[in-house]
Amino acid sequence: MPVTVQTPVEKWNGAVREVTLGATKADGGTRGRTVTVGGSATLPFLHFEGAIPNRPVIAIQVQDIDPLDWSPTLRSAWGDVTKDVLKWAAKAVDLGADIIALNLRSAHPDSGNRGPEEIAETVKSVLGAVDLPLIIYGPGVPEKDNEVLVRAAEVAAGERVAIGLCEQNNYRTIVAACLANGHVAIARAPIDVNIQKQINILMSDMGLPLDRILMDPTTGALGYGLEYSFSVMERLRLSALQGDGMTQMPTICTIGDEAWRAKEAKVSQGVPEVWGDFAKRGVVWETITATTLLNAGADILVLRHPQAVENVRKAIDQLIA
Amino acid sequence: MALSGLEIYKLLPKTNCKECGQPTCLAFAMKLAAKGAELSACPHVSEESKAALESAGAPPIRLVAIGSGDQKFEVGNETVMYRHEKTFYHQPGILVRVKDTQAADAVVVTVQQVQNYSVERVGINITLNGIAVENASGNAQTFAKCVELVRSKTDMPLVLMSQDPAAMEAALAAAGDSQPLIYSATAENWEAMAGLAKKFKAPLAVYAADGLGGLANLTDQITKAGVADLVLDPSAANVNSTLASLVQVRRHALRKNFRPLGYPVITFPSRLASTTEEETVIAAQHIARYSGVVVLDNFDPTLIYPLLTLRQNIYTDPQKPIQVKPDIYTFGDPGDKSPLLITTNFSLTYFTVAGEIEASGIPTWLLIADSEGMSVLTAWAAGKFDAEKIAKTVKTSGIADKIGHRKLVLPGFVAGMSGEVEEELPGWKIAVGPREAVDISPYLKGVWSPD
Ligand code: B12
Ligand code: SF4
C-alpha cells in the first residue's frame, strides 16, 4: 500500500503587521511611490502555509558626508558620488533601491558635528532630489540623535519616513517627533526578545500606532554574531505568528553597517590566503549576511554595496517567486 | 518518539517468566521505558515486537555516516526545527563535484584544492568534507576510472553520482570499502541500487521526481528491502519550492515522527543557480535550512570561506558560546617590560585580538578574564567584565610576578571604566587601547610604553 504524505502545515494565530513607508501626494507627501512591508502570515517564504502579501525590500545606505573610512571595495564601487549625498542617492535610485537610508553621519561629533539647521537643509534637499521613501538615521550618539532627528522629522513632516534609532533608554524624543510629524519609528534592541518587546510597548504606550513601528533586533554579521541575530529573529517571528501583538512589527536589519565592519570585508593585507579574493570577499560577506537574515524574517535590508544589492534582490526574487 | 512503559508492555509476552531479571513483564517494560534495561534481556519477545520497539526508540532523523576512516562525517539525528530550541548537532558536509568527463589533471587539481582547504576560525580548523564524482560520460568504465583516480588522491568521503546501476557497481568497486554515498536510487532503478547499497555497505541517496509523496514511497520500499542508511534528495524545481521541501521533510520527521522521511538530506545548489555567486547564496540558505550534505559545483576559496563560516555559526550551541580558557597567554617571549593587555574569554574576541598581537611581532602578555564566553561589550553590559572582575583577574592570575611595570591596557570600547579599574587596582596605571583590534599593532609599536 502506498504511503500517503500530507503537507505539514502549521496553524498560526497571528501575522506580521503591515507598515507603509512614504507618502504620495494623495496622502499628503511628495513621494513618487510608497513601500509596504510585513503582512506575512507564515514563516519566511513558506508559501504553502500562509499569505506573504509583500516582498522584503532593499534600502540602500547613503551618507551626508564622504565615508573616508569605508572599505576600498565600497569606495571604488560608488566612485565620486559619495562626495555628494544627492548624487549618491540618485545613483542608489538607479540601482533599484526600494528605499533610501540616509545616514546623518555629519552630525557626529567626530565627523563634522553639524547642527540641526544644516541637517534640516540636507534632509530637505534629499527629499527634493529623490522620490523614494526614506529612512533617516541619526549619528548614533543619543544627544545628537535627539537634536538632529527632531529637526529632520519636522522638515520631512507628512512624508512618512522611518526614523531611527529608538533604544530602551532613549526613545521618547524620537517617538514624539514621529508622532507629531506622521513618521514611522525604528525600535532597536540588543538581540533580545524581551527587550525588543519592552521597547515596542514603551513606544506604543506613548501613542504611536503599531503600524508605525519597525523593529531592529540588532544585526550580527556573518562570523560576528550572525547566529544570535538569526535565532532572535526566528523567535520574534514565531512569537508574532503565535499572536503576540507586541512582536508583530516588520523587521529591519542594518546589514551593511555590520558586514563591512568585519575584518574579512575591510582588510586586504596580512590575512590568510584561503580567505580568497579581497575584491569579492566583502560583497559576499554582505550578501550572505543579508540572505541568511532574509530567511530568518527580515523585511527591510539596509545594504551598502551595489553588487550585494543585486545579489540580494535576485535571492528575494527566487524566494518570492 | 519514545514509547511509554505501558505501550511497551503491550508488545511483551506478558507471561511474567522473570528470565529478564524483573519480577513481571510490566516491571521490565517500565525499566525499558526509563532506559534502565536492554530489550535483549527478554529471550521471549517476538520478532515483530522487537522491530516495533526498535523503530520506536530510533531517533526521528536517522544518523547516517558517509565515508570511512578519520574523515568520515555523520549527518542526521537532529532534534529541533529551530536552533534556539536546543542546538543543531551534525553540521552538513560540504563537498565539491568533479565529472568523469573532465581531464584527469583538472580532476586532480580540484581534489587537491578541496583536500587542502583549511581555514582557522575562532581557534577551530574548518574544512571541506569530500568529493562528489559524477558519471557525466554515461560510461561505466570511465566513471570507475575517475573514481579510482580520485580515490588514489584522497581518503575524503565520496558521493558517487549515476543513475545507472552497472556504472555504479563499477564505481563502488573502484572506491573500495570506503562507504561512499550512492546517488541515487530512483523509481526506475531502486531495486538494483538497494542491492548495491547492501553489497557495498554504503549509504544510499534517494530521489523522486514526483515530490515528497514519491520520495516516501521509495524509501518505504527500500527499507523493506533491507537498506537502512538513506539520504533524501528533496530538491524541487526552484529555490522556494526546494525551501518548502526542506522544511516539510524536517517537519514530517520531527513533528510527526514519519519514518519514511526521517533521514538527512542532500542538496545541489548549482541546479537552482545560473552563476557561481548564486550557487553560494543558495548553498548558504541550504546550510541554514536543514541540508545535511551540500554538493557544490565550484571550488572558489572566496565563496567557500563564507559558507564554512556560516556553517560554524549556525551549528554553534546557542547555550554555550565557543570559549577559551581564562589564563595568561603569551605572544613571542614577553619579558618584564612587555605590554600587558586584557580581554574576555569569548573565542571570537580572543582570536581576533591574538591575531593582531601576533601580527605586530611585539612580545606581549594577554590576560583573559572569565566573562562566560561573552564579547567585550556584551560582557561589560552583562556585568561579567566590569572593574571588579578585571581587578580580580589581575590579582589572581599571578601576572604581577612576571612583569616589572604596573600598566594594564583595556579594550578601547570600555574606556569609560578605566577610572573604576584604577580604584580597584591600587598602584596600577590603566591605559586605554584602541577600540578595534586591527589598530592594536600600531598601538603596540607606536603608543605603548611601560611608564
Ligand atoms: C552577538 C551579541 C550578543 C550575543 C552574545 C555574544 C557573545 N558571546 O558575547 C547575545 C545575544 C547573547 C548578547 C547579549 C547581550 N547583549 Co549583546 N551584542 C552582540 C553584538 C551583536 C556582537 C558582539 C560581538 O560578538 N562582537 C565581536 C567581538 C569580537 O567584539 P569584541 O569582543 O568587542 O572585540 C573587539 C574589540 O573590543 C577589540 N578588542 C577586544 N579585546 C580587546 C582588548 C584590547 C586590549 C584592545 C585594545 C582591543 C580589544 O577587538 C575586537 C575586534 O575589533 C553586539 C553589537 C555589535 N554589533 O557589536 C551587541 C552588544 C555588545 N550587546 C549589547 C547588550 C546591551 C547586550 C545585553 C546586555 C542585552 C540584554 N539582554 O540585556 C546582553 C548581555 C548578555 C546577558 N545578559 O546574558 C550592547 C552593549 C551596549 C553597550 N554599548 O554597552 C551591544 C553593543 C548592542 C547594542 N548596540 O546595544 N549580545
Ligand atoms: S523475560 Fe520477557 S516474558 Fe519473561 S518476564 Fe521478562 S519481559 Fe516478561
Side-chain angles (χ1 to χ4, degrees):
Chain A
M1 220 198 61
V3 209
T4 53
V5 175
Q6 267 162 8
T7 304
V9 173
E10 306 205 329
K11 269 210 92 42
W12 303 113
N13 306 318
V16 178
R17 200 176 289 279
E18 287 191 330
V19 169
T20 298
L21 299 189
T24 59
K25 220 174 200 159
D27 314 311
T30 62
R31 304 298 83 202
R33 61 176 128 125
T34 63
V35 168
T36 299
V37 292
S40 279
T42 178
L43 291 163
F45 311 110
L46 299 190
H47 302 273
F48 64 89
E49 184 160 86
I52 304 174
N54 303 297
R55 52 183 273 151
V57 299
I58 295 171
I60 296 183
Q61 188 180 21
V62 304
Q63 265 191 209
D64 65 345
I65 184 171
D66 195 9
L68 299 172
D69 57 341
W70 277 20
S71 164
T73 316
L74 281 168
R75 294 190 55 79
S76 66
W78 285 105
D80 269 354
V81 301
T82 58
K83 294 195 176 80
D84 177 347
V85 67
L86 300 185
K87 287 190 187 142
W88 192 352
K91 191 161 172 193
V93 175
D94 291 344
L95 286 167
D98 298 297
I99 298 170
I100 301 297
L102 169 64
N103 280 58
L104 300 171
R105 178 76 199 172
S106 72
H108 196 287
D110 299 343
S111 46
N113 204 18
R114 280 190 197 148
E117 287 323 311
E118 276 172 289
I119 291 298
E121 289 310 311
T122 303
V123 171
K124 267 193 245 169
S125 57
V126 173
L127 281 167
V130 299
D131 73 351
L132 292 184
L134 291 194
I135 296 170
I136 302 179
Y137 284 116
V141 182
E143 313 79 62
K144 287 289 301 210
D145 275 3
N146 290 345
E147 201 186 353
V148 299
L149 289 175
V150 167
R151 270 304 278 145
E154 285 165 7
V155 295
E159 298 283 8
R160 208 176 168 97
V161 304
I163 298 186
L165 294 164
C166 299
E167 298 190 73
Q168 203 182 9
N169 38 30
N170 186 46
Y171 64 92
R172 294 185 154 275
T173 311
I174 299 171
V175 172
C178 288
L179 268 172
N181 300 287
H183 300 308
V184 172
I186 304 174
R188 171 174 283 184
I191 320 191
D192 187 298
V193 174
N194 295 324
I195 298 177
Q196 186 73 63
K197 264 188 82 162
Q198 181 65 21
I199 170 129
N200 296 347
I201 291 170
L202 291 170
M203 287 165 57
S204 74
D205 281 353
M206 282 183 66
L208 192 62
L210 292 176
D211 66 355
R212 277 165 60 190
I213 302 176
L214 293 172
M215 53 184 185
D216 172 349
T218 300
T219 298
L222 176 61
Y224 297 87
L226 178 66
E227 68 275 36
Y228 294 99
S229 295
F230 183 81
S231 283
V232 95
M233 284 169 59
E234 287 198 324
R235 290 177 59 197
L236 286 165
R237 173 61 76 88
L238 287 168
S239 157
L241 295 178
Q242 281 153 7
D244 180 347
M246 284 304 157
T247 54
Q248 288 174 336
M249 296 74 184
T251 300
I252 177 168
C253 294
T254 51
I255 308 285
D257 283 346
E258 296 304 322
W260 290 96
R261 274 179 57 194
K263 182 169 180 180
E264 282 79 356
K266 267 187 8 197
V267 183
S268 59
Q269 302 285 307
V271 301
E273 207 175 303
V274 288
W275 283 13
D277 178 5
F278 176 67
K280 286 203 301 191
R281 203 192 300 135
V283 175
V284 182
W285 221 257
E286 183 173 27
T287 303
I288 302 290
T289 302
T291 55
T292 304
L293 295 181
L294 195 56
N295 278 279
D299 295 289
I300 303 177
L301 301 127
V302 187
L303 300 177
R304 284 189 180 175
H305 197 287
Q307 184 61 47
V309 168
E310 199 178 316
N311 296 346
V312 174
R313 186 186 306 120
K314 186 81 186 259
I316 297 172
D317 287 345
Q318 292 173 334
L319 286 162
I320 217 78
Chain B
M1 235 167 285
L3 295 181
S4 70
L6 274 179
E7 284 165 326
I8 296 173
Y9 172 68
K10 289 183 193 146
L11 295 164
L12 294 177
K14 307 193 190 82
T15 54
N16 301 333
C17 77
K18 300 189 174 57
E19 280 175 54
C20 57
Q22 298 299 321
T24 61
C25 289
L26 182 63
F28 182 63
M30 293 301 176
K31 278 265 177 191
L32 278 180
K35 308 232 181 299
E38 291 287 334
L39 183 61
S40 57
C42 169
H44 306 295
V45 64
S46 73
E47 285 304 316
E48 275 150 42
S49 297
K50 215 186 249 173
L53 285 167
E54 267 160 15
S55 86
I61 300 175
R62 189 176 174 85
L63 185 67
V64 176
I66 294 168
S68 61
D70 292 351
Q71 302 189 59
K72 83 166 184 203
F73 65 92
E74 291 180 323
V75 288
N77 208 2
E78 299 299 336
T79 58
V80 292
M81 293 297 298
Y82 310 105
R83 57 186 292 286
H84 67 257
E85 293 175 300
K86 192 159 170 64
T87 183
F88 292 173
Y89 291 100
H90 294 95
Q91 57 173 31
I94 302 179
L95 293 80
V96 177
R97 190 193 62 169
V98 296
K99 292 180 180 178
D100 67 356
T101 45
Q102 284 172 278
D105 324 359
V107 170
V108 170
V109 167
T110 304
V111 171
Q112 280 165 348
Q113 282 172 326
V114 171
Q115 164 117 313
N116 296 337
Y117 192 85
S118 169
V119 55
E120 191 189 304
R121 253 202 98 81
V122 298
I124 297 168
N125 280 319
I126 46 183
T127 58
L128 290 161
N129 301 86
I131 301 285
V133 188
E134 182 176 356
N135 181 20
S137 69
N139 178 302
Q141 254 171 341
T142 312
F143 190 32
K145 265 185 79 180
C146 188
V147 170
E148 202 176 295
L149 175 66
V150 171
R151 189 74 307 163
S152 72
K153 299 291 171 202
T154 182
D155 291 330
M156 295 182 100
L158 304 183
V159 175
L160 306 181
M161 300 172 63
S162 175
Q163 315 278 281
D164 171 12
M168 188 58 76
E169 178 149 25
L172 282 162
D177 51 4
S178 62
Q179 280 144 37
L181 176 64
I182 300 174
Y183 182 92
S184 61
T186 62
E188 290 74 40
N189 70 13
W190 70 267
E191 287 181 281
M193 288 294 190
L196 293 175
K198 274 201 276 191
K199 178 168 168 195
F200 290 90
K201 296 193 174 57
L204 177 61
V206 185
Y207 173 76
D210 51 349
L212 298 186
L215 200 54
N217 273 295
L218 267 179
T219 62
D220 188 48
Q221 284 171 297
I222 294 171
T223 45
K224 283 180 183 145
V227 180
D229 286 332
L230 302 181
V231 171
L232 311 174
D233 175 1
S235 51
N238 59 41
V239 171
N240 80 40
S241 47
T242 301
L243 168 69
S245 297
L246 287 163
V247 171
Q248 289 174 12
V249 165
R250 180 87 149 213
R251 281 190 185 168
H252 275 297
L254 295 184
R255 299 261 195 259
K256 312 206 157 166
N257 202 30
F258 182 58
R259 292 284 154 199
L261 294 177
Y263 299 96
V265 157
I266 186 170
T267 56
F268 298 86
S270 68
R271 291 182 186 161
L272 304 167
S274 49
T275 65
T276 311
E277 278 73 16
E278 234 180 279
E279 176 187 30
T280 308
V281 170
I282 296 166
Q285 299 180 53
H286 292 175
I287 287 169
R289 279 288 178 254
Y290 315 139
S291 188
V293 184
V294 179
V295 180
L296 303 174
D297 262 12
N298 298 285
F299 174 88
D300 175 351
T302 321
L303 302 176
I304 297 284
Y305 175 47
L307 290 181
L308 295 180
T309 303
L310 177 66
R311 178 177 70 177
Q312 185 183 47
N313 281 176
I314 297 290
Y315 280 78
T316 296
D317 183 344
Q319 263 68 29
K320 213 166 133 268
I322 308 177
Q323 308 185 17
V324 294
K325 191 166 153 264
D327 207 343
I328 302 171
Y329 289 77
T330 58
F331 298 85
D333 188 11
D336 66 351
K337 290 196 171 58
S338 299
L340 170 66
L341 276 54
I342 189 162
T343 192
T344 68
N345 75 328
F346 184 32
S347 250
L348 179 62
T349 301
Y350 168 78
F351 284 100
T352 311
V353 172
E356 300 304 330
I357 298 177
E358 248 156 41
S360 76
I362 308 279
T364 299
W365 303 96
L366 177 63
L367 198 53
I368 302 296
D370 183 356
S371 66
E372 297 173 22
M374 287 182 210
S375 78
V376 168
L377 275 181
T378 313
W380 176 79
K384 310 283 181 200
F385 189 64
D386 53 10
E388 208 179 313
K389 174 56 92 25
I390 290 174
K392 194 173 148 219
T393 308
V394 169
K395 285 178 191 155
T396 56
S397 65
I399 187 69
D401 303 334
K402 302 188 191 251
I403 54 172
H405 62 83
R406 287 289 174 269
K407 187 166 177 180
L408 175 68
V409 182
L410 296 185
F413 279 120
V414 290
M417 68 169 161
S418 64
E420 276 172 76
V421 181
E422 224 146 64
E423 271 170 38
E424 295 274 342
L425 277 176
W428 284 75
K429 266 192 234 153
I430 306 304
V432 174
R435 295 160 78 98
E436 298 291 346
V438 278
D439 301 319
I440 286 180
S441 181
Y443 174 82
L444 291 178
K445 287 180 184 155
V447 182
W448 196 85
S449 87
D451 13 74

